[in-house]
């Protein structure tokens, strides 16, 4: 064939291809119909609109996204999700896509495979032309250095994040704080973190907390917070997280403040801002019943109609919605195909949120495949949303093996959408590319963006200035001008922190900021002033003035800062804050964290405060007593006790003070001489007269018995009696052990009897007449007390042998403790009593009872069974205990699954609900699930339904059985007919 014919064939071939492509373009794209149907399925708040800006195949399985300064979108694609249910090798399907809008129409049309071969990536943040990516066990830094859109730098900068749990609970959400650190969630999982860049550094171990790292040094620190998949800052640096059933949680205090005082028995960091669990309502319009409905922790999860998969929250401050939406927090609920809007308002030192309307959501869909998981600020002030788009969103590990084959885990693995949400009349701000903020912007342009009304521009400018680390006169002068004259307080707050990061913040700028009309700016100025006080001593005097600020959060931050400072007036200012705001637990903790070496000075200043709030005064005095008891000298403790006894009036605060002292000192009882009258008498020493204390205890007993006195005061009085002796306290306690008394009083009585550690107390608790009158919750508390004291166990065994107490009423964790006791007599007796319970085939019991579910049961008759067998620990429709999870809303879970968890509670136990056992050096023993912990202490939620905090230095042994607090053998207390009615009752709820 000659060249002429070859050219003709090539021309005709190209024409034919072009014709075919034209015809194809005229044919309906099946994806277009699907996408239109998806858009039509949305119900969005009136006045809003939702725009599709990217869809498959351009993006697949997006779980996080971020925009760089050039408005390129980096998208994290978790294509391998879910990871294998039973372990095994992870997939390597995870990717980072780089999307571009090449024609400026607001829709993304070009994709580059920026990074491939990842396991289960879930978070991303730009930094210096590259991105940090969370992908447990590693945190990567990826960067394209040759401009081809593909990362050629891929290095691990941190490693050791736990990847042993499912991909749903791993570290995620890298987000840049005002302070220049990058914060991440712990994923409810934790890790043992090292940096390959700095192999000589010791590992940082943590669990059940969030963390942060410095983007330049890769130093890692444990922070407050307990977030799963969601982390956000508001414009003033307040940090919020979320977990499945807790949509909005505020991290109020970080652990470095609490660490200052090793004797402070406080280890919390988070306060729920939103309603939680069964009270966290949502209004879905789909009929999705996801695999969450099959979770074998079933009894521990409420689902339809309440949050079950809260994630990806965002404190929104963009301009493309309306001013009313600024400051709101938006939360994804992927299991029920919606995004909820919550309005946030201050409450004390934290916040409280509420939904703006009932019966509908900000965004919901009838499409059961719509799975919103992540929200983000972006260009033009819009709210951006990632939809992983799956038929099934839950993880197979949380589904009984028998149910897994019936669920479609694959559908949707080729799909994914990204949406932009704006108000209906929103129009894109069409500007010249050259005038936009970009990687080529001048310093002047970046500063102008920092002062912008637009959150995305402010945040991006903030990051760029941190990356440049430029302390030039142009930058410093520009930042000072914004800090003092900026139109927007959000910009003023950022400018202050940037000056700090550039080591250019001076005293005059801070003093001016401390007078800012917006309290959020003053909050940040207070925090910054503390670190500059050595260089600018005049700032201490300004902080003393801030202790009287009209805003409670400013006063709280001032207390945190003053706790690390010395000088005239500092302690008095802290005492002033405590006297005004000490009824708030966060303020008390903040103040007391900073007075470890200055308790006598603080006590004197605090008692001298005029017009102190009575509740604040009582609670602060109780905590001061506890601090002295925990770590003060014997002499100081006795001076404190003498002063309290000699005070002319005020039984309430005096009882609280001595109770705190006794509680603290009991952890080191060996430092105090013993007394036959009880520990409270040993505290005052042999040289003191008992008469004054005798009279005080008699007055305390009268308070305990007086129904006209407030319950909180009576509970404290009852608790103080537990530090006397049985002969002195038993008449009052016996009188109060009456089922007609309020539950909090009865629980207090049980606790005091337990503390008295006298066998006669165990006999009182197990008396047949008393036992038969206990409510389920009280019965559970009594049982817990009986197994926690060696001297009580004999009485417990006697009661079980007599049939007054059934062995099944003892939880599996407690039975295990008794069976493995080092006391051979105890373990041998436990084997005889619990052999049938521990040796039985639980799955055989389950299969046997499952047959009864086939018969119809009247759910209205199941309430009695719930009250008898479940209400001690679980709440249902606002009634019951709070030891275990709330059961309200489990109606969508299959009856078989509910039965499985009831009869086989250890089938699979969430780490959060595994039983932890603690014995203390003073002989106390307790078990429960871990609520919170710091380096100094931990708190257990016991079967009493109370929270018990313990200093780590007072712990003799600590163990985690891995078992549930819920007992095996409930079938011994409930017939098959009752079980069927109980499950019908649970499934009939709302």
């Amino acid at each position: 064939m000659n060249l002429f014919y070859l050219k003709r064939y090539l021309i005709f071939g190209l024409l034919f291809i072009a014709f075919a492509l034209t015809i194809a373009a005229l044919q309906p794209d099946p994806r277009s119909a699907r996408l239109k149907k998806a858009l039509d399925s949305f119900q969005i708040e009136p006045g809003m609109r939702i725009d599709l800006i990217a869809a498959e195949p351009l993006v697949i399985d997006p779980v996080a996204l971020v925009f760089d300064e050039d408005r390129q979108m980096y998208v994290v694609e978790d294509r391998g999700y879910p990871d294998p249910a039973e372990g095994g090798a992870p997939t390597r399907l995870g990717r980072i896509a780089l999307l571009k809008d090449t024609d400026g129409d607001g829709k993304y049309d070009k994709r580059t495979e920026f990074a491939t071969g990842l396991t289960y990536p879930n978070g991303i943040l730009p930094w210096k032309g590259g991105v940090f990516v969370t992908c447990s066990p590693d945190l990567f830094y990826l960067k394209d250095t040759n401009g081809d859109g593909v990362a050629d730098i891929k290095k691990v900068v941190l490693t050791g994040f736990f990847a042993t749990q499912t991909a749903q609970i791993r570290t995620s959400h890298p987000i840049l704080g005002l302070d220049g650190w990058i914060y991440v969630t712990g994923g409810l999982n934790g890790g043992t973190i090292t940096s390959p860049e700095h192999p000589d550094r010791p590992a940082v171990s943590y669990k059940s907390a969030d963390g942060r790292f410095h983007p330049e040094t890769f130093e890692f620190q444990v922070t407050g917070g307990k977030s799963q998949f969601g982390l956000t800052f508001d414009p003033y640096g307040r940090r919020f997280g979320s977990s499945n059933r807790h949509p909005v949680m505020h991290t109020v205090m970080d652990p470095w403040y609490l660490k200052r005082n090793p004797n402070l028995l406080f280890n919390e960091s988070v306060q729920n801002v939103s309603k939680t669990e069964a009270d966290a309502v949502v209004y879905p319009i789909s009929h999705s019943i996801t695999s969450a409905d099959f979770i074998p922790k079933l009894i521990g999860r409420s689902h339809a109609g309440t949050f079950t998969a809260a994630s990806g929250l965002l404190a929104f401050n963009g301009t493309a919605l309306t001013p009313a939406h600024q400051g709101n927090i938006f939360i994804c609920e992927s299991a029920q195909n919606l995004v909820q809007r919550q309005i946030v308002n201050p409450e004390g030192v934290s916040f409280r949120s509420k939904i703006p309307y009932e019966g509908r959501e900000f965004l919901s869909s009838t499409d059961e495949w719509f799975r919103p998981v992540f929200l983000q600020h972006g260009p033009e002030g819009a709210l951006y949303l990632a939809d992983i788009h799956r038929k099934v969103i839950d993880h197979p590990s949380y589904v009984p093996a028998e149910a897994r084959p019936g669920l479609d885990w694959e559908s949707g693995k080729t799909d994914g959408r990204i949406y932009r949400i704006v108000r209906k009349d929103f129009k894109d701000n069409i500007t010249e590319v050259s005038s936009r903020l970009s990687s080529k912007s001048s310093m002047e342009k970046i500063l102008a963006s920092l002062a912008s009304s637009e959150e995305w521009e402010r945040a991006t400018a903030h990051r760029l200035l941190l990356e440049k680390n430029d302390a030039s006169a142009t930058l410093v002068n520009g930042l000072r001008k914004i800090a003092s004259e900026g139109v927007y307080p959000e910009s003023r707050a950022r400018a202050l922190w940037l000056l700090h990061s550039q080591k250019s913040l001076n005293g005059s700028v801070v003093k001016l900021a401390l007078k800012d009309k917006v309290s959020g700016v003053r909050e940040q100025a207070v925090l910054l002033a503390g670190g500059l006080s050595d260089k600018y001593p005049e700032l201490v005097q300004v902080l003393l003035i801030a202790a009287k600020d009209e805003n409670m959060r400013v006063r709280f931050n001032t207390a945190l800062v003053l706790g690390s400072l010395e000088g005239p007036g500092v302690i008095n200012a802290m005492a002033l804050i405590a006297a005004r705001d000490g009824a708030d637990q966060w303020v008390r903790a903040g103040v007391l964290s900073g007075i470890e070496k200055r308790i006598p000075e603080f006590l004197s200043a605090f008692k001298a405060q005029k017009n102190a709030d009575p509740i604040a005064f009582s609670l602060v005095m109780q905590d001061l007593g506890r601090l002295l008891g925990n770590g003060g000298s014997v002499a100081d403790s006795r001076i404190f006790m003498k002063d309290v006894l000699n005070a002319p009036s005020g039984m309430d605060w005096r009882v609280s003070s001595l109770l705190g002292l006794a509680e603290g000192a009991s952890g080191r009882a060996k430092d105090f001489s013993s007394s036959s009258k009880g520990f409270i008498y040993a505290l005052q020493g042999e040289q003191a007269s008992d008469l004054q204390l005798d009279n005080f205890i008699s007055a305390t007993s009268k308070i305990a018995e007086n129904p006209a006195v407030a319950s909180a005061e009576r509970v404290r009085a009852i608790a103080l009696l537990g530090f006397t002796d049985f002969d002195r306290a038993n008449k009052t306690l016996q009188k109060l052990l009456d089922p007609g008394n309020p539950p909090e009083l009865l629980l207090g009585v049980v606790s005091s009897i337990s503390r008295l550690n006298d066998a006669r107390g165990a006999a009182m608790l197990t008396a047949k007449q008393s036992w038969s009158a206990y409510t389920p919750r009280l019965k559970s508390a009594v049982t817990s007390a009986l197994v926690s004291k060696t001297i009580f166990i004999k009485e417990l065994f006697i009661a079980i042998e007599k049939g007054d107490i059934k062995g099944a009423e003892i939880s599996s964790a407690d039975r295990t403790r008794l069976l493995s006791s080092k006391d051979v007599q105890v373990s041998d007796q436990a084997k005889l009593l619990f052999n049938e319970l521990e040796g039985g085939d639980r799955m055989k019991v389950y299969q046997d009872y499952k047959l009864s579910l086939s018969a119809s049961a009247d759910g209205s008759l199941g309430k009695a069974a719930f009250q008898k067998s479940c209400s001690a620990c679980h709440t249902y429709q606002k009634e019951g205990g709070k030891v275990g999870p709330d059961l309200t809303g489990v109606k969508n879970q299959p009856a078989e699954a509910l039965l499985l968890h009831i009869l086989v509670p250890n089938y699979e136990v969430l780490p959060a609900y595994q039983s932890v056992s603690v014995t203390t050096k003073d002989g106390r023993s307790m078990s429960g699930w871990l609520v919170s912990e710091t380096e100094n202490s931990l708190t257990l939620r016991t079967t009493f339904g109370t929270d018990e905090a313990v200093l780590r230095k007072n712990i003799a042994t600590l163990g985690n059985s891995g078992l549930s607090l819920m007992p095996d053998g409930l079938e011994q207390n409930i017939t098959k007919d009752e079980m069927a009615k109980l499950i019908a009752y649970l499934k009939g709820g709302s």
Side-chain angles (χ1 to χ4, degrees), residues 529-675:
L532 291 173
S533 59
D534 286 344
K535 187 175 182 181
Y536 303 100
E538 68 272 18
L539 289 179
V540 177
Q541 295 304 311
V542 181
L543 285 169
L544 299 184
I545 296 172
K548 302 177 183 178
D549 194 278
E550 63 182 19
N551 182 271
M552 191 173 179
R553 275 195 59 80
V554 175
R555 299 194 298 271
F556 171 65
N557 280 0
T558 301
L560 293 178
V561 170
L562 290 176
S564 296
L565 301 181
E566 303 282 349
V570 168
I571 286 296
N572 191 65
M574 295 174 71
L576 178 67
I577 295 170
R580 181 176 180 177
D581 303 317
D584 184 283
Q585 65 167 349
W586 300 106
V587 175
R588 290 201 308 280
V591 169
L592 299 179
S593 72
I595 65 166
E596 183 203 0
K597 306 293 186 183
R598 303 179 283 186
I599 292 179
E601 183 184 353
F602 177 84
L603 179 59
S604 177
F606 181 67
K607 291 171 70 175
Q609 296 299 317
K610 297 180 180 179
N611 302 318
D613 175 77
I615 296 176
F617 189 82
S618 180
L619 291 173
V620 172
M621 287 298 293
Q622 183 172 350
D623 281 350
L624 279 170
R626 190 179 289 114
L627 274 179
L628 276 169
N630 282 332
S633 68
V634 172
D636 283 343
S637 297
R638 285 177 172 158
I639 290 171
F640 178 84
M641 184 172 183
K642 182 178 180 181
D643 288 345
V644 170
L645 289 174
N646 286 333
S649 61
M651 278 298 293
D652 181 28
W653 74 264
R654 294 164 73 201
V655 169
S656 296
S657 301
L658 291 193
L659 175 60
L661 180 67
E663 287 174 336
S666 65
R668 54 191 186 104
K670 66 180 184 300
D671 294 340
F672 299 88
S673 58
S674 63
S675 170

Side-chain angles (χ1 to χ4, degrees), residues 750 754 762 765-766 771 779-797 800 805-807 809-819 821 826 830 834 917-919 923-927 943-944 965:
V750 174
S754 176
L765 292 174
T766 57
W771 183 264
K779 188 175 290 187
S780 178
V782 170
T783 304
S784 179
L786 292 170
V787 300
S788 68
K789 295 284 184 178
T790 302
I791 200 169
F792 286 3
I793 292 174
K794 181 179 179 181
E795 295 294 332
L796 169 65
F797 286 167
I800 293 175
I805 297 176
K806 293 182 172 61
E809 293 178 287
I810 313 301
S811 72
S812 299
D814 287 331
R815 290 200 299 265
T816 300
R817 287 169 59 193
L818 295 171
L819 287 163
S821 173
V826 171
F834 303 135
S917 299
V918 170
T919 57
R924 288 183 295 146
S925 177
M926 64 193 77
S927 63
T943 48
F944 278 70
L965 284 174

Side-chain angles (χ1 to χ4, degrees), residues 270-444:
V270 171
Q271 180 161 311
N272 285 308
V273 172
S274 64
K275 291 183 177 180
T276 64
E277 300 189 356
D279 294 324
V281 298
V282 294
Y283 300 99
I285 60 173
S286 67
H287 299 287
S288 178
I289 296 180
T290 72
S291 61
D293 299 317
F294 295 85
I295 292 181
K297 282 79 104 167
L298 6 140
I299 231 165
R301 297 293 180 90
S302 306
H303 292 282
T306 63
F307 267 105
T308 182
S311 63
L313 82 170
L314 181 71
F316 181 74
N317 207 44
T319 59
L321 300 183
T322 73
H325 292 84
Q326 292 182 328
N328 294 180
I329 290 182
F330 294 83
I331 313 105
C332 295
E333 166 54 45
S334 58
Q336 293 169 88
N337 323 113
L338 59 88
V339 175
Q340 186 170 95
R341 169 191 171 199
Q342 295 193 8
I343 298 172
V344 182
N345 291 302
E347 184 177 273
V349 300
S350 188
F351 302 88
R352 183 65 60 193
S353 64
K354 62 180 181 180
I355 54 178
Y357 28 67
E358 295 186 357
R360 60 187 173 90
E361 295 292 355
F362 175 77
L363 175 67
S364 53
S365 175
T366 57
D367 182 0
E368 296 172 8
W369 290 38
F370 172 59
R371 304 294 187 182
V373 294
F374 187 86
L375 296 163
Q376 182 64 283
H377 285 109
E380 312 302 336
L383 175 62
Y384 289 82
L385 167 64
D387 168 16
I388 191 174
H389 210 75
R390 292 287 185 88
K391 184 173 184 180
V392 172
I393 191 64
D394 262 305
H395 196 284
S397 290
Y398 305 137
V399 178
E402 62 192 66
R404 292 174 193 167
L407 296 170
D408 184 350
W409 307 102
E410 296 299 314
S411 291
K413 283 192 172 184
T414 58
D415 298 341
R417 287 87 189 267
I418 296 174
Y419 296 96
R420 183 184 75 164
I421 302 172
V422 295
R423 63 183 178 274
K424 267 189 176 179
D425 63 355
F426 176 83
K427 294 182 180 179
D428 287 289
N429 182 19
I430 306 300
T431 59
E432 292 293 330
V433 173
S434 59
S435 66
R436 290 178 175 176
L437 178 66
S438 73
S439 55
K440 298 178 181 179
S441 292
S442 65
M443 183 66 71
E444 290 76 9

